Amino acid sequence: MHRITPSSPDGRILRDIDSLAKEIGLGPGDYEPYGRLKAKLVHGLADKYADRPLAKYIGVTAINPTPLGEGKTVTVIGLAMALSQLGHTTIGTLREPSLAPVFGIKGGGAGGGNCTLEPQSDINLHFTGDLHAVTSATNLLASIIDNHIARRKIPEINPKTITWKRALDLCDKGLAHIISGLDQPLQAPLRETGFDLTAASEVMAILALASGPRDLRLRLGRIVVGMTYDRQPVTVEQLGCTGAMAALLVDALRPNLVQSCEATPFLVHAGPFGNIAHGNSSIIADQIALKLADYVVTESGFGADCGAEKFFDIKCRTSGLQPDAEVLVCTARALKLQSGLFDVHPGRPLPPALLEENLEALHAGAVNLRAHLEIIQQYHLPTVVAINAFPDDSERELKEIQKIALEQGAAAAVITRAFSEGGEGSLALAEAVVEAAAQPNQFQYLYPLEMPIAEKIETIATRIYGAASVEFEPQARRRMQEYEHLGYGDLPVCIAKTQYSLSHDPHLLGRPTGFTFPVRDLRLSAGAGFLYALSGEIRTMPGLPSEPAALRIDIDDSGKITGLH
């Protein structure tokens, strides 16, 4: 009999961490409890259980969202709980929430309603300290770089070529572009620099892509921070601080075990942003989960144009793992927004008219759903459309979305009510996923690595985003030529762009075509193992909205945190 402990904010009964770990076949030496409801797994579990068969690997993505999100995390949690209800050992793998959206536009990232991860407040805030470790390692390197330059150490770094920035896990636009070294020029040169979000940092990307401590250290050592005066790359290994950075991150590399509100196991680990970075939880968590379960459900950030493309072409390519099926989440309100008939602004409430039945707007915006299905179909995966229903949604609209999805070739299209009904509201989705994952598929990547950098970017822009052409600004062209000359041309490409449109422009809704996709800069993430292209107005340190989510968060007299969900 399972030992239980009441601990969720609304009094739902949860399993203690020992019971949860035992359920998925972990022994006492396989994890380290962090209190009663969370634990860190030990290093080497994927190798320890290497002789076990792989679970079915299910990806979850979405159409282009409204600023409030379309319930993708809720869908992942509901699907995992429903698969468990059907008798399948299931583990969900999700990214760790960043404080930037928690206190910014979207609020908490641990689900909602009857589909939450527990303990919610811990997961949304400091959790087990992983994001703090990533921030510390990033900033340690920045201080080492400044000290190295100020003391004229070899190799000599040209300060004008430094690409490494400091990091902060909060939206603080005032730190996006700064001048540092005002106080102590002998130890820190006066120079222009800035801060990226922790979730947008290369160290976070490395944490998500590393396969173990040795790989973590190798990747950290390969980070390129700038160039010498004769245009040779300077790496972290040359600066001598690889070991110190690895020491800060070695515990953060261990996945975190928690549970859903229905006690379904989840590994919540790493948190690269979906529009800025590669937008997927860690490879190491997936590798472990796939050896412990029958089904593993993982989420990619934002839509198929952002997180799913990076899931396939970066994460799966790096891990060697291949998904068995993909779930595409959509909502009636997001499709109507894609019609272009409504005035929606991030940080403001959705207009009431968007929530009313409007079949004309739905049909106009349905081109976005069709486009996202076409994106996934290029990877030759069976796709199940999950129509996330809100309480006031029109049944006629929901049925129409089902019809459109099936006409476009979806393996199934299922109306889900996970937010209000938990796992019970996702049973039909779970049955459809089981059937889709049993089908043979011919999964393939979008492009070969040996393709020139410009052609890789053009392939993504034209085949995924729908662009007619790509325009490279002079800075991007210079860096592209330099990276190819230095031997980095065979890396995959991670494109940072808006999540609100298939294009680079959040105002181009629906299925834009004929546009020119601009690439204003190209950066090298040699440690993570990809090139990083910046398009449009996307920034690696966003600002806060007019009404930040932080303004509604508080504590009561007992210390209970409110307003995170």
Side-chain angles (χ1 to χ4, degrees), residues 134 182-183 245 309 340 361 427 507:
V134 172
L182 289 170
D183 186 43
M245 293 177 69
E309 184 273 317
L427 286 173
H507 301 104

Side-chain angles (χ1 to χ4, degrees), residues 514-539:
F515 62 92
T516 298
F517 186 78
V519 176
R520 59 182 173 83
D521 200 0
L522 189 70
R523 298 178 187 174
L524 172 64
S525 293
F530 56 73
L531 294 160
Y532 169 26
L534 290 160
S535 180
E537 294 302 312
I538 197 71
R539 293 290 184 263

Side-chain angles (χ1 to χ4, degrees), residues 52-234:
R52 295 187 181 182
L54 287 174
K56 293 292 186 181
Y57 195 24
I58 313 300
V60 179
T61 188
I63 64 170
N64 294 110
T66 69
L68 299 181
E70 303 319 300
K72 184 153 46 66
T73 301
V74 164
T75 300
V76 170
I77 298 169
L79 173 57
M81 295 192 305
L83 286 165
S84 295
Q85 287 189 27
L86 293 177
H88 305 291
T89 301
T90 305
I91 300 175
T93 61
L94 289 170
R95 290 172 296 161
E96 299 181 50
S98 162
L99 295 181
V102 167
F103 293 131
I105 291 178
K106 292 184 69 174
N114 288 309
C115 281
T116 59
L117 295 179
E118 302 295 346
Q120 278 195 74
S121 295
D122 288 14
I123 294 168
N124 276 316
L125 297 177
H126 303 292
F127 201 16
T128 56
D130 294 351
L131 271 78
H132 301 308
V134 172
T135 302
S136 297
T138 301
N139 294 337
L140 169 65
L141 176 55
S143 65
I144 292 286
I145 293 167
D146 280 347
N147 187 58
H148 184 97
I149 293 172
R151 298 186 185 280
R152 301 180 183 276
K153 292 188 175 184
I154 301 298
E156 268 197 279
I157 306 173
N158 181 347
K160 293 180 180 178
T161 68
I162 295 172
T163 54
W164 194 258
K165 293 184 178 182
R166 288 167 170 82
L168 184 71
D169 190 34
L170 291 168
C171 290
D172 191 342
K173 199 63 177 172
L175 294 176
H177 187 196
I178 65 168
I179 295 175
S180 67
L182 289 170
D183 186 43
Q184 289 289 336
L186 294 179
Q187 287 192 306
L190 189 70
R191 65 183 183 88
E192 291 186 52
T193 181
F195 280 73
D196 290 337
L197 287 175
T198 297
S201 70
E202 184 174 358
V203 174
M204 178 61 84
I206 288 172
L207 188 74
L209 294 171
S211 59
R214 183 175 183 275
D215 188 39
L216 171 71
R217 198 188 185 288
L218 288 171
R219 288 175 179 274
L220 291 171
R222 290 199 300 262
I223 292 171
V224 173
V225 301
M227 298 287 179
T228 61
Y229 285 95
D230 58 353
R231 301 304 298 175
Q232 293 302 305
V234 178

